Amino acid sequence: IQIQQLKADLLQAMDTIDSLVDSNRLNVQLLASIPAVLILFYGTRTLFLFWSNIRMKDFRLPHDVHADMSDYLKKVEECLVLSNYQLDASVSMEEGAEAPIARAEACLRPKEMGQLLLLLHSYLNLLDYMSPPFPSKQCDSIHQSVQKLLMQGQMSTSRQLELLKVIQSKH
């Protein structure tokens, strides 16, 4: 009789344990899914980084590429500032010059425009081939701003500098 009583108590305890495990099944499943989500998230980021490096044919981290892009923008700004300074100096020498001549000289000269185009081309190459750090809408917006920056003869260097500051804020 004691053995039967012990057997009945063990069966009752096992039923209690089974009901406890069944009630915690959802908690255990959620706990098991958290590492899977983390692996998926970081695996996807690593895959995009690897894919962008293959496209770039250069294995650099996005932080390094972003720093290079910032350097290109600073060099563009320096080019515009220096050309604006040279234009201001040439206009101040010709005090008797008419306003249309001063406005025509307020645009970039061919050598300066070539240097500006080379720097912007390098910047846009990095932007296009390292697009995972940047959303596509932001890339399109930067492209449009760069196209506006290159309106030759329609924009003074001071306005180009102002537009460059807008591009830098988007970057």
Side-chain angles (χ1 to χ4, degrees):
I1 294 179
Q2 284 183 340
I3 293 176
Q4 287 179 350
Q5 182 69 25
L6 185 61
K7 184 178 176 183
D9 289 339
L10 284 175
L11 286 174
Q12 185 180 9
M14 288 179 68
D15 285 340
T16 306
I17 290 173
D18 282 343
S19 65
L20 184 63
V21 168
D22 287 340
S23 66
N24 285 330
R25 186 176 309 270
L26 179 63
N27 293 338
V28 172
Q29 288 174 346
L30 288 175
L31 188 63
S33 66
I34 290 173
V37 169
L38 290 175
I39 289 171
L40 181 68
F41 176 74
Y42 286 110
T44 305
R45 286 181 57 114
T46 304
L47 181 67
F48 278 125
L49 176 64
F50 179 71
W51 178 253
S52 63
N53 285 336
I54 287 175
R55 284 177 46 197
M56 189 70 168
K57 294 183 176 57
D58 187 11
F59 291 101
R60 295 187 291 176
L61 294 174
H63 181 271
D64 296 336
V65 173
H66 194 269
D68 288 345
M69 292 170 73
S70 296
D71 289 341
Y72 281 128
L73 287 177
K74 287 176 186 173
K75 287 177 184 176
V76 167
E77 183 178 14
E78 179 182 346
C79 176
L80 288 173
V81 166
L82 288 176
S83 67
N84 197 19
Y85 173 75
Q86 291 170 353
L87 292 172
D88 288 343
S90 66
V91 168
S92 65
M93 286 182 188
E94 303 172 3
E95 292 177 3
E98 297 178 7
I101 295 173
R103 187 192 177 284
E105 288 185 0
C107 296
L108 292 174
R109 295 183 182 117
K111 182 179 177 183
E112 295 162 344
M113 188 63 163
Q115 184 180 8
L116 181 74
L117 284 173
L118 181 64
L119 291 170
L120 288 174
H121 175 71
S122 300
Y123 172 78
L124 290 175
N125 274 340
L126 287 177
L127 179 69
D128 288 340
Y129 289 111
M130 289 302 291
S131 57
F134 300 103
S136 62
K137 286 185 179 182
Q138 187 177 6
C139 288
D140 292 341
S141 174
I142 291 173
H143 272 279
Q144 288 173 355
S145 297
V146 168
Q147 287 175 355
K148 290 176 186 173
L149 184 67
L150 297 176
M151 291 192 301
Q152 178 65 11
Q154 299 176 7
M155 195 180 301
S156 67
T157 53
S158 59
R159 288 196 179 201
Q160 286 175 324
L161 278 169
E162 291 172 12
L163 185 58
L164 183 65
K165 291 189 188 311
V166 171
I167 293 172
Q168 286 174 336
S169 69
K170 290 178 185 178
H171 176 78

